[in-house]
Amino acid sequence: MGVSGFIKGFKLLHRTKPRIRLHPYGYIQRRYFLDTKILNSSDSLLPVLIVGAGPVGLVLSVLLTKFGIKCTVLEKNKGFSKHPQAHFINNRTMEVFRKLDGLAEEIQRSQPPVDLWGKFIYCTSLTGSILGSVDHMHPQDFEKIVSPVSVAHFSQYKLTRLLVKLLENLGFGIHTLEGPDSLDHEPLRGGEILMGYECVSIDTTDECVTATVSFSKEGKLLMRKIQSKILIGADGAGSMVRKLVGIDLKGEKDLQKLVSVHFWSKDLGRYLLNERPGMLFFIFNTEVIGVIVAHDLTQGEFVLQIPFYPPQQNLEDFSPEICKKLILKLVGQELSDIDVIDIKPWVMHAEVAERFVCGNNQIMLCGDAAHRFPPAGGFGMNTGIQDAHNLAWKIASLLNGVAPTSILATYETERKPIAVFNTALSVQNFRAAMAVPATLGLDPTVANSVHQVINKGFGSILPSSMQKAILDGIFSIGRSQLSEFILNENNPLGSSRLAKLRHIFEEGKSLQLQFPAEDLGFSVSLNPCTGVRYLEGALVPDSDDVVPAPELPTGRRRDYVPCADPGSRLPHMKAKVLSNFPSEETISTLDLVSENKVEFLLIIAPMEESYNLAQAAFKVAEEYKVSTKVCILWPADSVTRVQPESKAKLAPWKNYIDVIEVKRSLDSSSWWSTCQMTEQGAILVRPDEHIAWRSKSRVVGDLYSKMKIVFSTVLGFESMNS
């Protein structure tokens, strides 16, 4: 299926059932008849139950807690994974982390220097010939022009560790079944992470969701029922929550099977630090082909990804000793300190859940539970964390009585198109990665076709040992294309292939790492000013806004161009706070949005009509019981002293802030020019830093009625009346 067909193959489905009563598959049901006991719990009704304690579930629990919403997290594993897994954190995710009690700063302090991980290197071995290299870091990526924070390279298990520490600082407790702090009989109050608990059935009523969870203790399988107002499935690619509620995935399955080998070698780390530092090493030689991910060169932590072809190959073919030999063949020299920690098979998919929300808007899927991407481009964890960021303020608005349940339906409306687009972009980037071996005479599609013939064609009737021998022989013949005899400038075939390879790298047609336009905007609309944005949902489109047809991802790096269209992320610009003038605290415009409460932000210029609009917004917000702050943004060099004007113009309202824009240079665009608006306009920003509504110029007519329509539309009240 092509990228175009992939996007067109998805349809937004908003089916809602009044009641769901689903139970696990037979193997779980049969376990009930073993040594099982169901515990009667005296739990009060939890506001939110999150299934899955990966980065997405943990980030969501942090955001909800900071918004004053109690939640409990369940994790089926008894401990947190130490496999590095995801490692690239994009701009937008780092912006989210800036609001999480210094998490972004901690990551930046702890990650390796960018000079050590900006490159992808293609070579015959880690000590052999370099076929090419691509530096994915541009100088502007670290100048903080379009974002107040830069991308990062930080392993997932280290991120999990920081998130758990952050939650503990917020009052959470980590409870294991074996420890003295086990809560298998205790009521849940929120603020718990329960390790070793698996969700095995889900039952919904109009009032609550009841999750039955299983756990083993002292050799017995025990069950417990937990009731919550909202249940979140953040339990990964194999999500049990998704299966239990009967949501299917749509897309491409089994793009590739691989084995992931986590290993340490300080000797290898030291060598690469001195000779060829990089993040990803694509290695092609006559004995083995693989990709080594350098998670931390200074510590010597790596992950090897190597193709896997079952059933002819099985995990016994990747024992620790065999993996050490494979690593040495990829390195090209002896190493005495290789320590293989973990070996995991995995399958690459490109799929999106048909629904993100179900059960009367009581059950939602987040992260890999909702979408499974190829790792190319690092969209998986980043998209999941941004799912959580989109969802948290909506859950808090509902549970605080500010918005109706329809606010949660906008989570799917906004985030599903992003997942579809990012899946297509990841697939396209994966195909670009395959262009390199194809150019070298190793077309992966041919290898997969050969494997299919052996599995399902004439080869399937042969003994398994013969199937394996045939597969190994064909792959060995294929790898002979990488011999020094062929792959050199004096060989016409080799010279032609190397020239084509250089062209791929120079034209940016190989695997890409950075997609600033998609990272900082998101979505299916790629127009000249915004990059990307939400097209519908908890927002008010411009009256003259024409929804563009979905565009295909380019697969190339596109720089982000700031814009203030509804649905887009608020542009970043430096500003000085005037409240404490002359202390001149410099912040980002993104910092104007509260990090500790659900609060809308109205940005205006210091003009009479705009102050009147702010007065109307305050009145409407008070009626809707939604916190709203007004920011008066003064033009650069226009303020030399504290301005009493805002206080008088906005009285009796006090929730406002005066700031002055800080230009990078004299010829830099002003705030309103950057937003492609006049200074008579106004911007209403949601708690997730996305623009809910804007007026490009002066608002005319009844300002109170206008702002009432805006707030009722964004919060979802208008949909109830339509």
Side-chain angles (χ1 to χ4, degrees), residues 480-552:
S480 67
Q481 302 288 315
L482 303 170
S483 68
E484 292 183 4
F485 173 75
I486 295 177
L487 206 59
N488 70 80
E489 295 291 353
N490 296 321
N491 183 306
L493 177 60
S495 177
S496 173
R497 288 176 174 174
L498 291 172
K500 289 178 181 178
L501 198 61
R502 286 192 294 271
H503 178 75
I504 287 174
F505 296 142
E506 290 167 0
E507 294 296 314
K509 294 181 178 180
S510 60
L511 177 68
Q512 298 298 298
L513 177 64
Q514 289 230 69
F515 295 88
E518 289 76 10
D519 291 349
L520 292 174
F522 347 115
S523 182
V524 294
S525 168
L526 307 178
N527 64 53
C529 81
T530 68
V532 286
R533 60 189 172 104
Y534 299 139
L535 298 179
E536 56 180 334
L539 54 91
V540 182
D542 286 340
S543 58
D544 59 350
D545 194 11
V546 177
V547 177
E551 296 189 26
L552 301 180

Side-chain angles (χ1 to χ4, degrees), residues 56 121 218 289 360 421 660:
V56 174
I121 296 175
E218 298 176 353
I289 296 169
N360 289 335
F421 184 89
I660 181 171

Side-chain angles (χ1 to χ4, degrees), residues 118-122 131-136 280 282 284 376-377 425-439 500-515 554-557:
K119 291 183 179 179
F120 290 178
I121 296 175
Y122 300 80
L131 302 173
S133 68
V134 180
D135 191 342
H136 293 280
L280 266 61
F282 298 83
F284 306 93
L425 182 54
S426 297
V427 170
Q428 193 171 52
N429 206 22
F430 169 68
R431 306 286 189 214
M434 296 301 99
V436 172
T439 301
K500 289 178 181 178
L501 198 61
R502 286 192 294 271
H503 178 75
I504 287 174
F505 296 142
E506 290 167 0
E507 294 296 314
K509 294 181 178 180
S510 60
L511 177 68
Q512 298 298 298
L513 177 64
Q514 289 230 69
F515 295 88
T554 65
R556 309 282 186 89
R557 174 180 171 132

